Amino acid sequence: MEINFAQLQAELIAGDLGVLEDERKAYVKKFWKGFLIFLALFVGVPLTVYIVNPDSMFVALIAGGVILIIASIFLAISHNRFYKQFKEQFKGKVIPAVVKFVDERLDYQPNRGLISEYSASRIFTRGYDRYKAEDTISGKFESTDFAFGEVHTEYRQVTTDSKGNRRESWHTIFQGMLFVSDFHKNFHGETMIDVDNMERFFGKLGRKFQQWNPSRPGDLIKLENPEFEKKFAVYSTDEQECRYILTPSMMERLLDMTKRINFKIAISFRNNQVYIAVFNNMDLFEPSVFGSLLKEGDYRIIINMMKLMTGIIEDLNLNTRIWTKE
């Protein structure tokens, strides 16, 4: 389905987006006015003090510092207050309209996160210390329930240098879109599909390294599709079930899907579900205060990602009852 962006934009501008854009412009104008006033005070007051008394350089610097601190606190508080309300309206009114424009069967839940699904997928073996999970879109196409949403997980690393100074840093485990759907089969085991970097770079030696991968359950499974073998490394606790899932047709569908998505992905089949992690490193649903809300390119990115995610249902043929739950 092709999206008529001109129609979408016209409908959004006539509705809540037009109101929000006017509010945004008014706030930006007010923000820069306040910024310029504080800038004038920051320069003018110390300069005036110095001109009146050239020996009071220290007092002038103190005055400038106080003004800078007051300005930073005032602008930060006012901006955070505006942005909180602005984001709530944008996610509460504009994004739902965009989602329904794409497909009436979709439902957008800005505060719902798929962090439990993230953990259940077992795609990521490293534990996270903090996370952000939100902006979930769910739906039901024929008999297939699915959901996808943004997830960002990080782990904390603490180091101490030779002088005993403690340093804390945060590192991303995953940032992207997590997709989960019913696979219409009861799994007895679990099958994991990773991007195959080892064999790609190290050939047969790399495959030996993959076989020693302690972070993946089960065994490394060798499949009959050479292109799939180069692209992915497959681990499973039940080889027979793995081959039952990854039929020649399914492998071709997965290869076609990765070409369309054009992002690194990882997949797991467990708990009667299919989980797909798409590493897009984007934060798609956050509005810009200092940039126009009317840019077509921003909505194209959101809609294209939505179409890619919902397209997985068709890509993997999930509505065709090849399997039945036992």
Side-chain angles (χ1 to χ4, degrees):
M1 173 186 171
E2 288 298 320
I3 301 297
N4 187 332
F5 284 95
Q7 179 187 350
L8 171 61
Q9 190 175 55
E11 290 183 10
L12 291 175
I13 293 174
D16 294 302
L17 183 62
V19 175
L20 277 179
E21 178 67 3
D22 290 340
E23 291 178 2
R24 184 195 68 80
K25 288 180 177 178
Y27 167 76
V28 170
K29 185 177 180 180
K30 180 180 177 181
F31 177 89
W32 287 119
K33 182 178 179 180
F35 176 83
L36 291 174
I37 290 173
F38 279 119
L39 181 62
L41 290 172
F42 175 70
V43 175
V45 170
L47 185 61
T48 301
V49 171
Y50 179 74
I51 291 173
V52 171
N53 184 2
D55 295 328
S56 59
M57 173 64 78
F58 181 73
V59 176
L61 292 175
I62 292 295
V66 170
I67 292 171
L68 181 62
I69 292 171
I70 293 173
S72 299
I73 293 173
F74 176 83
L75 291 175
I77 291 174
S78 62
H79 179 76
N80 289 338
R81 184 183 297 121
F82 173 81
Y83 184 73
K84 181 180 179 181
Q85 296 175 347
F86 180 69
K87 184 172 74 170
E88 286 177 357
Q89 292 183 68
F90 182 78
K91 289 190 174 187
K93 297 177 180 179
V94 177
I95 295 298
V98 174
V99 169
K100 291 297 183 183
F101 188 88
V102 174
D103 197 307
E104 285 287 341
R105 296 171 292 178
L106 298 176
D107 182 41
Y108 171 68
Q109 298 161 283
N111 298 318
R112 177 188 172 189
L114 298 178
I115 194 63
S116 60
E117 290 81 356
Y118 169 94
S119 298
S121 74
R122 292 193 183 175
I123 290 174
F124 305 94
T125 56
R126 176 185 279 274
Y128 59 84
D129 294 308
R130 70 181 181 189
Y131 73 90
K132 180 181 179 183
E134 59 182 357
D135 297 317
T136 295
I137 297 173
S138 59
K140 186 172 184 177
F141 287 2
E142 296 183 25
S143 298
T144 300
D145 292 296
F146 64 91
F148 56 92
E150 292 187 332
V151 178
H152 184 193
T153 55
E154 299 172 282
Y155 69 91
R156 182 179 62 178
Q157 189 173 53
V158 178
T159 57
T160 305
D161 62 22
S162 59
K163 297 181 179 179
N165 297 315
R166 184 176 176 274
R167 181 176 177 270
E168 180 180 281
S169 58
W170 290 89
H171 305 272
T172 292
I173 301 169
F174 171 70
Q175 182 178 12
M177 198 73 70
L178 182 71
F179 173 94
V180 57
S181 172
D182 187 1
F183 200 68
H184 304 293
K185 182 187 184 329
N186 287 326
F187 296 141
H188 300 295
E190 55 185 66
T191 296
M192 303 285 175
I193 303 177
D194 288 334
V195 172
D196 184 354
N197 292 320
M198 296 297 291
E199 186 170 359
R200 188 182 311 169
F201 294 132
F202 301 108
K204 292 182 179 180
L205 180 61
R207 190 159 189 85
K208 288 291 184 183
F209 290 144
Q210 289 172 344
Q211 291 174 341
W212 300 330
N213 187 347
S215 66
R216 287 302 183 203
D219 301 315
L220 180 68
I221 308 299
K222 183 172 177 60
L223 299 168
E224 287 69 35
N225 186 316
E227 185 180 358
F228 194 87
E229 280 284 292
K230 289 181 180 179
K231 183 77 175 177
F232 298 108
V234 179
Y235 301 87
S236 183
T237 59
D238 187 329
E239 182 171 351
Q240 183 178 358
E241 184 175 74
C242 173
R243 295 183 183 280
Y244 192 42
I245 295 169
L246 295 177
T247 62
S249 174
M250 176 61 77
M251 286 189 283
E252 288 295 335
R253 286 178 176 274
L254 284 170
L255 286 170
D256 290 340
M257 183 187 73
T258 56
K259 291 172 184 176
R260 286 201 320 112
I261 290 180
N262 201 30
F263 292 109
K264 175 186 172 183
I265 68 169
I267 307 167
S268 71
F269 298 88
R270 64 184 310 271
N271 299 335
N272 313 325
Q273 307 277 315
V274 55
Y275 302 89
I276 303 177
V278 180
F279 296 72
N280 62 19
N281 297 322
M282 296 179 183
D283 207 350
L284 294 174
F285 301 96
E286 303 303 312
S288 171
V289 172
F290 295 100
S292 174
L293 294 178
L294 307 180
K295 292 184 289 187
E296 180 180 308
D298 293 340
Y299 298 101
R300 281 191 181 275
I301 293 172
I302 294 172
I303 289 172
N304 286 340
M305 182 57 64
M306 288 172 54
K307 290 171 70 178
L308 286 172
M309 292 295 99
T310 55
I312 291 173
I313 303 295
E314 181 179 347
D315 288 340
L316 301 190
N317 210 17
L318 295 180
N319 272 320
T320 300
R321 295 299 179 267
I322 302 173
W323 305 280
T324 55
K325 290 186 175 180
E326 300 166 1

